[in-house]
Amino acid sequence: MKNNLTSQIGLAFLRIAPSIMMITHGLPKFQKLISGNFEFGDPIGIGATPSLFLTVIAEFFCPILIIIGIKTRLMAIPPAITMLVAAFIVHAADPFGKKEMALVYLVFFVAIILLGPGKFSVDKR
């Protein structure tokens, strides 16, 4: 790597930017959950309420912890799994353009799993 500081800033950017964007998808689902509205899709057959609950964890709570850098690699797994489900189950029959965003998020979170949080995080690795 050319410059360690530049690499560490890049890892922080890779961790923080997609997590902020993911929170914008998770916040409405979180608000729906706390309002008591449990209507949600059931793409993997576990029920609408558990699906909503798991999606809120993956799209709202995990990205917050990823931004801070707490258990970053572990916290990137639920969003990656959620994006796998979104791309290959929820949008399986849709054209590529419809599943593209889920695939982009999937790539980001897999990269975070592989590369770790960097030194500008609570984990500091």
Side-chain angles (χ1 to χ4, degrees):
M1 296 197 182
K2 273 200 300 193
N3 180 339
N4 192 38
L5 178 62
T6 305
S7 297
Q8 295 303 318
I9 291 170
L11 285 173
F13 186 73
L14 175 71
R15 187 181 86 243
I16 294 167
S19 294
I20 289 171
M21 290 184 272
M22 179 63 78
I23 288 172
T24 66
H25 296 279
L27 181 60
K29 294 173 181 111
F30 176 65
Q31 292 170 329
K32 181 179 193 166
L33 183 68
I34 61 173
S35 74
N37 180 0
F38 302 114
E39 293 178 29
F40 196 69
D42 183 20
I44 57 174
I46 61 172
T49 302
S51 293
L52 176 60
F53 183 75
L54 291 172
T55 302
V56 167
I57 290 171
E59 292 185 4
F60 184 72
F61 290 108
C62 287
I64 290 170
L65 295 173
I66 292 168
I67 290 168
I68 298 167
I70 298 174
K71 301 289 183 193
T72 306
R73 287 181 168 174
L74 183 63
M75 291 300 110
I77 294 170
I81 292 169
T82 302
M83 293 303 101
L84 274 170
V85 171
F88 297 110
I89 296 175
V90 175
H91 297 293
D94 294 340
F96 179 77
K98 186 75 173 170
K99 61 180 91 175
E100 182 177 11
M101 188 55 64
L103 293 171
V104 169
Y105 279 120
L106 174 62
V107 168
F108 274 124
F109 288 108
V110 169
I112 292 167
I113 293 166
L114 296 173
L115 297 172
K119 76 175 191 178
F120 298 118
S121 70
V122 173
D123 289 345
K124 294 183 183 169
R125 290 187 188 158

